[in-house]
Amino acid sequence: MSIHILQTHPLHESCETALAERFIVHKLYEATDRDRLLTDTGKLIRAIAGGQVSAGLMDRLPNLEIIANFGVGYDSIDVRAAAARKVTVTNTPDVLNDGMAEITIGLMIALARRIPQTDRYVREGRWPAGNFPLTHELRGRTLGIVGLGRIGKEIALRAQAMKMRVVYHGRNRQDHQPYVFYSSLLDMARDADWLVVVIPGGAGTDKLVSRAVLEALGPDGMLVNVARGTVVDQEALVELLQSGGVGGAALDVFEAEPTVPQALWEMENVVLSPHQGSATYETRDAMGALVVANLDAHFAGRSPLTPVT
Ligand code: 8YV
């Protein structure tokens, strides 16, 4: 029996190949007339591969059983609407922890040592006229991790290799973690030199890193966001970076991707990255394999490997 699935956006190549071997795949994002595609095939669709799934889209798919998201963050899926319709949602946790932690430390070093700027300095032929200004180290600084989850813990390990002191804020104290816990994000921002944001996006965390938190981080403080743009008050961040209220920022995510505020392009105390956290062959292959494994398990009558609830 052939199973029809809907793919909502482009996926990593190895994932698309594996899906095509198993299922009849309808690509919503390639349809010139999406409404027509949903009218013609909506009743056949039993699974979605990918995110960006609203309640309205689910309404067009009366036989939908499972949404297999390509990503650990599933804030682009209306999970409440899915639960109400008894539709399973899966994500791709763990397989991206190392890749995410590597880019986070990379962004921190890039920001502290001004690596993009020094590269430009050499390419622009400015070195013969004088040395690049001195920079700062990570060693000895306090890193406040906002969200000590699976990825946060990998970042904490690597930050200690940089000889940093690690503290964290989250919903709960984690008894078996060796790092100091702050129940107040504001207090942690005040005490930390670096804030790394690695919490899930969505309504519950919208602008959690508020103007007040950024002001508490202060003129010597550095912000790194590898989570979601929505988690930080981006407008306040831009203003504080401009005025010197915050020392610097390394940003992999933005409020309205792929749009990055022009003001940030012009700042020397900022490192910009186009949502590269999981963007390696190793991690994307593993994420794709997990999407497929979740669908395989579901259609074989077993529980999916990584349901979100
Ligand atoms: C990807 C991500 O950029 O896992 C997540 O939550 O944001 C990233 O891994 C994204 O899912 C790719 O589509």
Side-chain angles (χ1 to χ4, degrees):
M1 185 188 55
S2 306
I3 296 170
H4 291 253
I5 74 165
L6 187 70
Q7 189 184 324
T8 45
H9 52 78
L11 296 170
H12 184 55
E13 200 182 328
S14 58
C15 181
E16 291 204 1
T17 304
L19 291 174
E21 282 166 8
R22 290 162 168 76
F23 306 112
I24 298 169
V25 182
H26 302 272
K27 296 188 174 179
L28 184 60
Y29 58 97
E30 279 183 358
T32 40
D33 187 343
R34 288 177 181 223
D35 188 59
R36 181 73 192 268
L37 177 107
L38 293 171
T39 304
D40 290 350
T41 62
K43 285 198 178 74
L44 298 173
I45 302 293
R46 294 175 61 194
I48 289 179
Q52 300 162 15
V53 187
S54 64
L57 177 55
M58 290 178 221
D59 285 340
R60 306 290 300 273
L61 312 171
N63 296 310
L64 183 66
E65 297 165 26
I66 180 168
I67 302 167
N69 186 43
F70 184 92
V72 68
Y74 48 89
D75 47 318
S76 72
I77 298 171
D78 188 336
V79 283
R80 279 174 66 176
R85 291 161 178 75
K86 299 202 172 7
V87 171
T88 302
V89 179
T90 63
N91 67 342
T92 60
D94 286 323
V95 292
L96 40 59
N97 296 351
D98 291 322
M100 289 292 299
E102 282 187 16
I103 203 165
T104 304
I105 298 295
L107 287 170
M108 291 171 71
I109 297 175
L111 177 58
R113 304 301 295 268
R114 298 285 194 262
I115 290 175
Q117 291 79 4
T118 55
D119 178 87
R120 251 181 321 213
Y121 192 78
V122 174
R123 287 172 199 256
E124 289 168 4
R126 295 165 63 194
W127 191 11
N131 287 333
F132 191 85
L134 300 184
T135 59
H136 289 288
E137 294 169 16
L138 301 180
R139 178 185 53 89
R141 307 283 173 171
T142 297
L143 166 62
I145 298 182
V146 186
L148 193 70
R150 291 177 277 224
I151 299 167
K153 290 185 179 94
E154 291 296 333
I155 295 170
L157 286 179
R158 288 161 177 79
Q160 289 171 101
M162 296 296 131
K163 304 184 179 177
M164 300 185 84
R165 176 175 165 260
V166 176
V167 300
Y168 72 103
H169 164 78
R171 276 169 304 184
N172 302 307
R173 180 194 302 275
Q174 300 184 46
D175 287 337
H176 300 294
Q177 292 304 320
Y179 319 112
V180 170
F181 170 68
Y182 282 79
S183 56
S184 157
L185 175 55
L186 209 62
D187 287 346
M188 185 172 84
R190 210 169 279 128
D191 290 354
D193 303 297
W194 288 78
L195 268 196
V196 164
V197 186
V198 64
I199 42 170
T205 56
D206 193 53
K207 294 191 176 43
L208 188 86
V209 180
S210 61
R211 180 180 291 272
V213 169
L214 293 167
E215 282 170 354
L217 184 60
D220 296 322
M222 303 287 178
L223 178 83
V224 182
N225 188 4
V226 292
R228 286 288 183 268
T230 53
V231 168
V232 174
D233 184 339
Q234 185 170 282
E235 202 184 311
L237 176 64
V238 170
E239 281 172 27
L240 288 162
L241 285 166
Q242 274 169 333
S243 68
V246 166
L251 306 170
D252 187 46
V253 289
F254 303 87
E255 215 170 82
E257 295 173 12
T259 302
V260 176
Q262 186 87 32
L264 290 172
W265 301 19
E266 284 139 26
M267 292 183 201
E268 285 298 309
N269 54 341
V270 167
V271 174
L272 301 171
S273 170
H275 203 141
Q276 290 292 101
S278 69
T280 64
Y281 287 106
E282 296 87 341
T283 292
R284 289 284 167 87
D285 278 343
M287 289 165 69
L290 192 46
V291 167
V292 174
N294 274 314
L295 292 172
D296 280 348
H298 174 81
F299 288 114
R302 302 190 306 270
S303 301
L305 283 74
T306 50
V308 302
T309 45

